[in-house]
Amino acid sequence: MRPLIASVDQVGRASREHVLIEEHGVLTVAGGKYTTFRVIARDVLSRVAPALNRRERPFVESREPLPAP
């Protein structure tokens, strides 16, 4: 299942961009693609880190492949 953001376009033409929605202290990720999980994770960490007082260093995307399952 792919969680797409509401769009007036047909499903095949709907945006695959992700959006972070924060309501009442809950952060929700909507949209995105499975292949952009690192970008989504970086955006989530950048949003959550200040609330946890974690600002030691900027988040850098890794180019390393994930380990085999």
Side-chain angles (χ1 to χ4, degrees):
M1 179 183 300
R2 185 182 299 203
L4 298 176
I5 300 168
S7 173
V8 295
D9 293 329
Q10 295 178 351
V11 173
R13 294 179 185 253
S15 172
R16 299 310 196 251
E17 294 296 318
H18 68 278
V19 174
L20 302 180
I21 304 163
E22 190 170 357
E23 296 179 310
H24 309 292
V26 176
L27 185 63
T28 302
V29 178
K33 298 186 326 184
Y34 296 122
T35 56
T36 61
F37 70 93
R38 289 183 192 216
V39 174
I40 296 169
R42 181 203 59 210
D43 291 349
V44 169
L45 288 173
S46 294
R47 180 77 69 91
V48 172
L52 300 174
N53 294 318
R54 303 288 305 260
R55 299 179 191 208
E56 295 93 26
R57 56 193 159 118
F59 297 104
V60 178
E61 291 179 49
S62 173
R63 301 263 187 242
E64 294 294 316
L66 292 175

